[in-house]
Structures are given as structure tokens and as C-alpha cells.
Amino acid sequence: MARATATTATLPDHPGMPAPMPWHTAAWTAAVASGVPSILVHGAPGIGERRFALAMAACWLCEAPSGHSPRPCLECPGCKLIEAGNHPDLRVVEPAAMTVDAEDVDADGNGDEDIVEDKDKGKGKSKAAPSQLIVIGQLRPLNELAQISSHRGGARVVVIHPADAMNVAASNALLKMLEEPPAGMRFLLVAHRLQRVSATVRSRCMRVPLPMPTLAQAVPWLQAQGVEDAANALALAGGSPQVALDNADPVRAALSRAWLRCVTEGSATALSAARETKEIGAPQVLSWLVQWTHDLARVKAGAAPRFHPLQATTLQRLASSMTLRAVTRLHRTLLQRQRWIRHPLNAQLTLEALWLDYFQGMGGR
Ligand SMILES: [Zn+2]
């Protein structure tokens, strides 16, 4: 295929066509100009890293003549297929938890956890939450992709997101392909924690670090997406604009308010909080609890909250009845929980355990 030439990062926003963020310009230019078959994009979650990878995939799959700018051109058959979301030469590999529909988890809508088939083991009896990991079974179809020729006569592109969610077997399977890349196949890996990607996989890719946007870059971008009170939304999202944008979705905003009621209202119990936050899911609930207790510790130590500036008074009220030691202990307990939260466990029990940690910790002296 034609080697992609450097193009501007200021691609027009176009429905269905992923574009890099304004703060990606330098990384985009370097990645496009490199022409390497495998790229490892890494940076904090929510700064547009997935969007960057999908935009790069579109760039590689664009069928405009070599040297055409911008790329993706938005006009060619390859670009039209990307926009329609069904380009036959693109594969996006993500953990089941990112792609599973809500009805797959709770098909009868009765609030119980239903059986989610563990396709990797071919069983289907375990009451497991959808996996947060990328497993070997998801990599096997890539071997078939490598055997067949490209549908559109250009590259075949594989996006792995996040690459640090691959288990050992999946990582080894990918390594084999990276060591001897099938002709015309190109790989885009996205990682949040680079050290969790195996050193051998890392060594086979060009690394492209993505910077955190500055406030001056992120706030106008969020405002342009229609997010109200962009600066506070950004703080709540830990500085990640994509997370701030996702949080602004009305359904998600309602879930976020339900979560906030659970942490601030004295009447909530672990059981009621687990029920209230079931739709949010344990990994997100834990992530928010970690940020919340981080702010509790900051307020207790006399600093301003980092993630929840609007809840400063509530944080002060809660922190005033606790010792600094109890706050720190609670925050550490929740941080430790993050080590196993990616493993598929019973979703409801996991949520109840998290909330039990929180309420027991809040009562600590
Ligand atoms: Zn095109």
C-alpha cells in the first residue's frame, strides 16, 4: 500500500469519522510520517487515545492517492466504509466489558446477574461479569485475518484497546504476529499503563506518547462539544476531556448523581448503594470512590479538592468526623481493590464489597 504521508491533525470533525484531538498534533504528525507497521500509543485514559488510534486506522485505510491531504480524505470508498462503521479490513479488539450490551448482562431486566457465557472456556455456567481483560480467544480470529487477502486491496488494520488489558496468553499470541507481521497487516496498540505491556511487545512497536491537554486546550474543546461548566466537568474527570464528555451524556450524568447521593447521604447502606449503582458497574464505581477518597484526604490535610471542587463543603463535613489516618486507610484499601477489579467476578457481590469498604471506612476513627 502507499506509504501514508504526513498530514495535518486539524482534520474536520465529520460524523462517524474519528479525528485526533487538537493536542495530538505533534504525535499525529510523527506517527503518520513514520510508516512503521506497528504503533503503540500510550497516555492517560480519556485524553482521546482511542480516538487517535481509530483516526490513524482511518488514515491507513484511506484509499486517496499517496500524498493526498488531508488523510483520511472523507471521500474515497475506504473512508465511506469507516464512516459506516463496517470497514472489512479493520478489526478492533477490546475487552468484553467494553463491548457487551447491557441486555447481555441482565437479559431479563429483573436486576439479577444473568449467566454471561465465557466464550474463551466454552462453558457458560459461571455467573461472571463480562471480562475486563483481552483474552486469547479474541486474538485467534486475527490469524484468520492474516490468511485472507485484504478486501479493499490495501492494509488490514488491527486496533488493540487497551493493550495493557491483554492477559499473558493473548499478549504472547500478539507477539508472534508482531515479530513476523503478515504482509499488509498493521497494528495500533493503545496502552494506559505502559509497564503492563510486555517488554517484548513494546520493543516491536514505535511508541507514540500522547500528552495530557492543558486547561487552555481542553476547556474550549469541551465547550465546542456542548459541555456546560467545562472547567468543573474537566476537574471531575481528572483532567481527561473524553471522560468529561462521556460524563456529560444525560444518562451517565444521572448515574453519576446517583453515585454522589450514595457517597454523601448518611442513609445509604452497602446493599442499597450497590443496587443504586448497578448500571454504573464496579470498575467505574471504584474509580470514582478512589477519586472521592483522594479528595477527602486532601480536604482533611487542608488542601482544595482536585476532582470535586463543587463538593468542597460536603467533603469538609464528611472529613471532619474522621481522622486523617482513617481517611488514608480507606483510600489505600480502595486503591488495593483496583488490582483485582479487572478480573471477572460476580458483579453484584463486587459492588457490595466496594460499598462495604467505603461505609466501614467512613465510620473509621
Ligand atoms: Zn479516503
Side-chain angles (χ1 to χ4, degrees):
M1 71 166 262
R3 183 182 151 131
T5 49
T7 56
T8 169
T10 52
L11 293 168
D13 261 344
H14 196 78
M17 180 60 79
M21 306 285 215
W23 48 93
H24 288 160
T25 303
W28 177 261
T29 306
V32 172
S34 74
V36 298
S38 309
I39 286 180
L40 171 54
V41 179
H42 59 96
I47 55 170
E49 65 291 354
R50 185 179 189 276
R51 184 194 270 249
F52 183 97
L54 292 176
M56 187 58 56
C59 178
W60 285 351
L61 291 166
C62 173
E63 297 168 25
S66 176
H68 186 279
S69 181
R71 191 180 207 93
C73 72
L74 309 176
E75 303 286 337
C76 73
C79 285
K80 297 289 179 205
L81 286 165
I82 293 271
E83 277 173 20
N86 56 6
H87 197 298
D89 296 319
L90 173 64
R91 295 286 184 283
V92 179
V93 182
E94 297 185 305
M98 286 189 181
T99 52
V100 74
D101 291 334
E103 55 266 33
D104 291 337
V105 181
D106 183 18
D108 49 12
N110 64 1
D112 294 329
E113 321 88 352
D114 300 319
I115 294 166
V116 176
E117 187 174 1
D118 185 347
K119 293 192 180 83
D120 198 36
K121 288 179 183 162
K123 289 175 184 169
K125 297 195 167 60
S126 62
K127 267 193 168 187
S131 179
Q132 302 282 332
L133 298 173
I134 293 173
V135 296
I136 178 92
Q138 294 175 272
L139 272 286
R140 287 200 190 104
L142 300 185
N143 285 322
E144 288 156 33
L145 183 70
Q147 307 291 326
I148 57 171
S149 55
S150 156
H151 285 83
R152 296 292 314 160
R156 284 156 295 159
V157 179
V158 176
V159 174
I160 302 202
H161 169 257
D164 37 336
M166 280 189 292
N167 69 9
V168 175
S171 181
N172 287 339
L174 176 68
L175 181 61
K176 286 201 185 105
M177 304 191 93
L178 294 176
E179 281 173 340
E180 292 176 42
M185 264 181 92
R186 304 184 79 173
F187 295 87
L188 283 157
L189 280 57
V190 182
H192 301 132
R193 286 160 300 180
L194 199 53
Q195 70 282 8
R196 291 214 181 171
V197 179
S198 87
T200 41
V201 165
R202 272 185 268 155
S203 72
R204 294 283 164 182
C205 302
M206 172 184 168
R207 283 188 226 169
V208 176
L210 291 186
M212 284 293 285
T214 61
L215 267 181
Q217 289 169 323
V219 168
W221 182 83
L222 276 175
Q223 285 166 338
Q225 315 301 314
V227 175
E228 289 171 16
D229 201 2
N232 270 316
L234 193 66
L236 185 62
S240 293
Q242 186 66 52
V243 176
L245 181 61
D246 292 346
N247 287 347
D249 170 79
V251 174
R252 201 172 156 82
L255 292 175
S256 169
R257 283 195 298 274
W259 172 85
L260 190 62
R261 280 197 300 274
C262 291
V263 289
T264 54
E265 283 178 11
S267 57
T269 65
L271 269 178
S272 71
R275 200 168 46 238
E276 288 284 313
T277 56
K278 181 174 183 288
E279 278 184 64
I280 303 172
Q284 183 63 73
V285 166
L286 178 57
S287 171
W288 284 345
L289 284 176
V290 165
Q291 291 182 342
W292 180 254
T293 52
H294 174 95
D295 273 355
L296 263 182
R298 281 181 65 90
V299 168
K300 189 74 196 170
R306 176 179 164 206
F307 300 103
H308 303 88
L310 294 180
Q311 269 73 47
T313 313
T314 308
L315 283 160
Q316 264 153 10
R317 172 173 60 78
L318 292 171
S320 68
S321 64
M322 299 173 77
T323 61
L324 180 58
R325 196 176 147 190
V327 176
T328 315
R329 192 170 52 215
L330 170 58
H331 182 59
R332 251 201 323 262
T333 301
L334 293 167
L335 278 177
Q336 281 164 357
R337 289 274 190 195
Q338 285 192 313
R339 290 192 194 147
W340 54 254
I341 199 72
R342 278 169 174 269
H343 297 278
L345 296 164
N346 180 300
Q348 190 67 17
L349 285 182
T350 305
L351 267 176
E352 285 170 19
L354 290 179
W355 283 110
L356 203 58
D357 278 348
Y358 178 73
F359 290 118
Q360 282 182 345
M362 291 302 286
R365 289 287 180 274

